Amino acid sequence: MAMSTENEHPVKAFGWAARDTTGHLSPFRFSRRATGEKDVTFKVLYCGICHSDLHNIKNEWGITSYPVVPGHEIVGMVTEVGTKVTKFKVGDKVGVGCMVGSCRSCANCKEDLENYCPEMILTYGAKYYDGTITHGGYSDIMVSDEHFVIKIPDNLPLEGSAPLLCAGITVYSPLKYYGLDKAGMHLGVVGLGGLGHMAVKFAKAMGLKVTVISTSPNKKKEAMDHLGADAFLVSRNTKEMELAMGTIDGIIDTVSAVHALLPVIGLLKTNGKLVMVGAPEKPLELLAFPLLMGRKMVGGSGIGGIKETQEMIDFAAKHNIVADIELIPMDYVNTAMERLSKADVKYRFVIDIVNSLKPS
Amino acid sequence: MAKSPDQEHPCKAFGWAARDKSGLLSPLCFSRRENGDEDVTIKILFCGVCHSDLHVAKNEWGFTNYPVVPGHEMVGTVMKVGSDVKKFKVGERVGVGVIVGSCKKCESCQQDLENYCPQTIFTYNSHYTDGTKTYGGYSDMIVVDERYVLRFPDNLPLEGGAPLLCAGITVYSPMKYYGMTEPGKHLGVAGLGGLGHVAVKMGKAFGLKVTVISSSPKKETEAIERLGADSFLVTSDPAKMKAALGTMDYIIDTVSAVHPLLPLLSLLKLNGKLVTVGLPDKPLELPIFPLVLGRKLVGGSDIGGMKETQEMLDFCAKHGIAADVEVIQMDYINTAMERLAKSDVRYRFVIDVASSLSQ
């Protein structure tokens, strides 16, 4: 008979889980493994709410197995390290993002691309090496193999750095890979949410001119005055969009709803690149003529490897970049999920675990 | 009142034109401009039949201006050069491809990317700088600005070299631009027609492993034994497609009909590139998950600039690459077009203009 989640492992843990497709989260007792020789155990202080958490708890992708403790933008303070751990010590500020394991031997792992390893283990809802299901950061403690732990530099406020672990790397990695990181280039960012606002901040720090493309005219002031965007296009305003055609070197598209690519592709210069980091479930229409006539491309990208995630955090620390967040107590999480589904947040909810997660 | 085609210009010319969307071609008397200071006058010897000629003859893309004389894969000899012409002399073998003009000033033109100039003038069905219509290579002679004329290497056969001027550059350019030339890597070529068969030959010349991806099992023997492909994948064979998942570094997609992209994307490795050079007239469906999960990309490419087209011809001459052609007489052209619509050609028709075009 399978052990209950409370008894699977020797260390008691407490969090909030979704138990069915309503996605309603509630207190949940479970357990974590003892700190292995290569493990780092840390007290969770804050955890960002990623839109993937919402998709997952409602089983919108059809892969959820309940109960699920979400959360893959986790930051905290180290309480114990295994005997073979070399990179961390007790008291360090650390984070864990979307992955907690990979095969460590395939070509992708060897090239620091653990996120593309066919045996990559997700931080929650996946099967770990010991056969047990992983539980995420809406909880009081985390145990992770040292390899998948990120050091958070001292000058980064912890609450605002949590979302970097997913949203941050998700936009940083393609800016580098697709060469959209050179000062003077013109970057477009479609969608101004958790991912989008991070893309604006990173791109400005890299010296790019940034245009935000959004369906919401009321985001313009924020985008320009607060986030530092150079221009703002309302995608439904065909005249504005037409005037901007052929002016942008690369576009990061963060929108995960189905939407038209043609107007976005039209904004690109010759040789322009459209990078999808949002993942609509249905295919999008692609017209061949505009792609060919301008030698344009549409590419994708998904999070980033551990080495690059650390590089991104260090870059953020150097430029004092953190996410704009709304800090919430644990018991607000269901309301937060409802608001998130309506994009009613500037721009990430972060759960104040340390101050509000109390075993009931 | 607009002048008729045979009165517009001082030099008489003769060719075959389509006059309506039936696409049927028949003789047309028209005229070419006087040879200007920067112009080269060319007697056309051979002209390849590109699938685009068929699309335009039948107005399938919706912008044909009849009558249209198609043909943008022509080779011939220089009859006359203007006083400022530096690169060519009378008697030389030359080629003319898809473009005969551009603005020469924009960023694209300055980077030898005349094909991406917003004011590109196409060899046929465009308007020249003097406002008159351009007529293509299904004709006896053509007058072209020196910048858009290619030197035709001596050791390239005329008939087999003609299709390189469109088909050849259309696959060569993206292979270079998207980095599909690293020896030992694995290239997939989707579609084995005019473009596809040249892509196989070039892929082998670059030292790549080449797999042809096709819906026609009967093309397999040819692909492997004659064209030199290393393997052949039939898209309707689920077991073989499954075994090939995640094995290709890049794919050139030459298919011009609407077709699903997901099976092709699935054949790519991490960071794989699918480059589409065919021009379906309806939208394709692009699944996003495979792009995100495998950091893959779908890119486009459209012919190439003049400098690169010359580079491509020289590359083909060096590696002995020419198209596999069926040489036809001018009056066979309508039958050829019907056969082309059914992909019944190995792999390009080439019109023997000099021998068969007579008034």
Side-chain angles (χ1 to χ4, degrees):
Chain A
M1 191 185 92
M3 286 191 159
S4 72
T5 46
E6 270 187 77
N7 297 314
E8 260 178 341
H9 296 293
V11 179
K12 297 260 165 283
F14 176 73
W16 279 44
R19 287 162 163 85
D20 56 44
T21 57
T22 62
H24 184 84
L25 293 140
S26 55
F28 177 69
R29 287 185 190 281
F30 65 106
S31 50
R32 296 273 189 204
R33 65 179 184 272
T35 308
E37 51 186 18
K38 293 198 181 155
D39 283 336
V40 171
T41 295
F42 62 95
K43 176 180 158 76
V44 178
L45 301 175
Y46 303 99
C47 186
I49 298 183
C50 177
H51 207 126
S52 305
D53 298 347
L54 178 54
H55 290 308
N56 230 286
I57 58 180
K58 294 191 156 191
N59 198 13
E60 283 172 5
W61 290 331
I63 52 170
T64 307
S65 100
Y66 295 102
V68 58
V69 176
H72 56 207
E73 296 181 340
I74 317 166
V75 297
M77 192 177 295
V78 177
T79 54
E80 191 179 355
V81 297
T83 51
K84 293 198 171 151
V85 166
T86 54
K87 295 192 287 179
F88 301 100
K89 56 188 197 304
V90 171
D92 278 352
K93 294 195 292 188
V94 295
V96 165
C98 303
M99 339 177 254
V100 291
S102 70
C103 84
R104 313 288 299 279
S105 55
C106 70
N108 295 339
C109 284
K110 290 210 156 95
E111 283 176 40
D112 302 309
L113 294 169
E114 300 89 345
N115 49 320
Y116 298 114
C117 169
E119 291 172 36
M120 185 264 285
I121 300 173
L122 294 169
T123 298
Y124 64 84
K127 196 180 258 191
Y128 202 63
Y129 307 112
D130 57 8
T132 62
I133 298 295
T134 54
H135 295 293
Y138 294 14
S139 63
D140 54 356
I141 71 162
M142 264 303 282
V143 183
S144 169
D145 182 311
E146 159 180 52
H147 184 82
F148 297 91
V149 177
I150 304 291
K151 177 111 181 45
I152 309 282
D154 286 329
N155 68 311
L156 273 186
L158 281 180
E159 316 90 316
S161 57
L164 296 174
L165 293 158
C166 179
I169 185 59
T170 297
V171 297
Y172 182 89
S173 187
L175 286 174
K176 306 290 289 191
Y177 179 70
Y178 288 100
L180 299 175
D181 56 345
K182 317 224 175 339
M185 281 183 135
H186 185 181
L187 181 80
V189 178
V190 181
L192 197 62
L195 296 182
H197 93 290
M198 291 305 327
V200 175
K201 291 191 183 203
F202 280 133
K204 288 310 298 171
M206 291 170 181
L208 281 71
K209 173 179 169 184
V210 178
T211 294
V212 171
I213 300 130
S214 170
T215 52
S216 323
N218 55 18
K219 293 189 179 182
K220 180 172 180 173
K221 196 166 184 325
E222 265 272 322
M224 297 189 61
D225 295 349
H226 178 71
L227 296 173
D230 299 278
F232 189 95
L233 289 175
V234 179
S235 44
R236 284 189 249 261
N237 184 329
T238 36
K239 186 144 184 229
E240 252 181 29
M241 292 288 280
E242 257 170 54
L243 282 170
M245 280 180 77
T247 61
I248 300 184
D249 293 290
I251 295 175
I252 299 274
D253 188 336
T254 72
V255 175
S256 55
V258 167
H259 58 289
L261 289 185
L262 183 61
V264 179
I265 288 174
L267 294 173
L268 292 168
K269 295 177 183 173
T270 298
N271 302 331
K273 301 169 188 175
L274 170 58
V275 184
M276 312 297 293
V277 293
E281 299 146 30
K282 294 192 179 20
L284 302 181
E285 253 189 22
L286 181 70
L287 273 79
F289 264 88
L291 207 66
L292 269 69
M293 294 307 172
R295 196 160 62 177
K296 299 176 183 179
M297 67 174 81
V298 182
S301 184
I303 45 172
I306 294 300
K307 183 173 175 206
E308 194 172 38
T309 304
Q310 187 67 65
E311 178 192 301
M312 175 276 304
I313 291 275
D314 295 341
F315 178 86
K318 180 174 170 189
H319 295 272
N320 289 306
I321 295 172
V322 285
D324 287 5
I325 65 164
E326 183 176 329
L327 194 62
I328 60 157
M330 189 76 239
D331 60 10
Y332 189 78
V333 72
N334 290 306
T335 309
M337 287 298 188
E338 274 174 39
R339 287 179 52 198
L340 179 58
S341 67
K342 290 178 278 185
D344 173 24
V345 56
K346 281 200 188 97
Y347 291 95
R348 255 312 194 242
F349 289 111
V350 172
I351 306 168
D352 187 350
I353 300 273
V354 61
N355 292 315
S356 69
L357 181 69
K358 313 232 179 296
S360 47
Chain B
M1 191 182 92
K3 289 190 170 169
S4 65
D6 61 333
Q7 307 273 338
E8 265 179 333
H9 296 292
C11 304
K12 297 262 166 280
F14 177 73
W16 279 46
R19 288 165 161 79
D20 57 46
K21 61 186 184 35
S22 69
L24 282 172
L25 295 138
S26 55
L28 174 77
C29 291
F30 64 104
S31 50
R32 298 279 191 195
R33 66 176 184 271
E34 191 84 60
N35 198 85
D37 295 339
E38 293 175 343
D39 286 337
V40 174
T41 296
I42 302 163
K43 175 181 158 74
I44 297 170
L45 299 175
F46 294 95
C47 187
V49 179
C50 177
H51 209 125
S52 305
D53 298 349
L54 177 54
H55 289 308
V56 174
K58 292 190 150 191
N59 197 14
E60 284 171 3
W61 288 332
F63 52 72
T64 305
N65 185 2
Y66 293 107
V68 60
V69 174
H72 56 207
E73 297 182 333
M74 64 194 101
V75 297
T77 48
V78 177
M79 306 294 287
K80 200 169 177 183
V81 297
S83 53
D84 292 340
V85 166
K86 301 198 176 27
K87 294 193 293 179
F88 302 101
K89 44 191 202 306
V90 171
E92 269 193 79
R93 292 179 351 152
V94 293
V96 174
V98 184
I99 52 184
V100 292
S102 66
C103 82
K104 301 188 186 180
K105 299 194 293 270
C106 69
E107 213 179 311
S108 292
C109 284
Q110 285 182 21
Q111 290 172 5
D112 301 310
L113 293 170
E114 298 90 343
N115 49 321
Y116 297 115
C117 168
Q119 294 173 54
T120 310
I121 302 172
F122 296 106
T123 300
Y124 62 85
N125 198 45
S126 259
H127 281 97
Y128 202 62
T129 49
D130 61 9
T132 62
K133 217 155 74 164
T134 55
Y135 294 96
Y138 293 13
S139 62
D140 54 356
M141 54 86 94
I142 189 168
V143 180
V144 182
D145 179 318
E146 141 174 75
R147 180 171 172 153
Y148 308 94
V149 178
L150 288 320
R151 194 185 56 252
F152 199 80
D154 287 331
N155 62 320
L156 267 187
L158 287 172
E159 313 89 321
L164 296 175
L165 291 157
C166 179
I169 185 59
T170 296
V171 296
Y172 181 86
S173 186
M175 289 180 78
K176 301 287 299 226
Y177 180 69
Y178 288 98
M180 302 157 118
T181 58
E182 301 156 280
K185 297 272 174 147
H186 188 181
L187 171 74
V189 178
L192 196 62
L195 297 181
H197 91 291
V198 174
V200 173
K201 295 186 183 203
M202 288 181 174
K204 292 310 298 171
F206 282 124
L208 303 168
K209 173 179 169 183
V210 178
T211 295
V212 171
I213 306 152
S214 172
S215 53
S216 324
K218 57 184 173 36
K219 293 187 180 183
E220 177 162 4
T221 311
E222 265 271 320
I224 299 201
E225 292 176 15
R226 220 162 74 112
L227 298 174
D230 297 279
S231 58
F232 191 94
L233 194 53
V234 180
T235 44
S236 53
D237 184 334
K240 294 240 168 81
M241 287 292 280
K242 191 168 176 195
L245 289 181
T247 58
M248 297 180 193
D249 294 284
Y250 1 84
I251 294 174
I252 291 252
D253 184 359
T254 73
V255 177
S256 58
V258 169
H259 58 289
L261 293 182
L262 181 59
L264 294 177
L265 287 170
S266 309
L267 294 173
L268 290 170
K269 296 176 183 174
L270 174 68
N271 301 335
K273 302 170 186 175
L274 171 61
V275 179
T276 174
V277 292
L279 279 167
D281 52 2
K282 294 199 176 22
L284 298 169
E285 273 192 359
L286 179 67
I288 305 298
F289 262 91
L291 299 184
V292 170
L293 295 175
R295 199 158 62 174
K296 298 175 183 178
L297 68 84
V298 176
S301 183
D302 182 37
I303 43 170
M306 300 320 301
K307 183 174 173 204
E308 195 171 39
T309 307
Q310 188 66 64
E311 179 191 299
M312 177 276 306
L313 284 176
D314 297 338
F315 174 86
C316 289
K318 180 176 168 184
H319 293 275
I321 296 172
D324 290 4
V325 301
E326 182 177 329
V327 181
I328 61 166
Q329 304 287 287
M330 188 76 239
D331 61 8
Y332 188 78
I333 187 62
N334 291 311
T335 309
M337 288 294 195
E338 273 175 36
R339 286 178 53 197
L340 179 58
K342 290 179 281 187
S343 296
D344 173 24
V345 54
R346 279 209 197 88
Y347 290 96
R348 258 305 196 247
F349 290 111
V350 171
I351 307 167
D352 183 347
V353 173
S355 310
S356 67
L357 183 71
S358 49
Q359 306 228 20

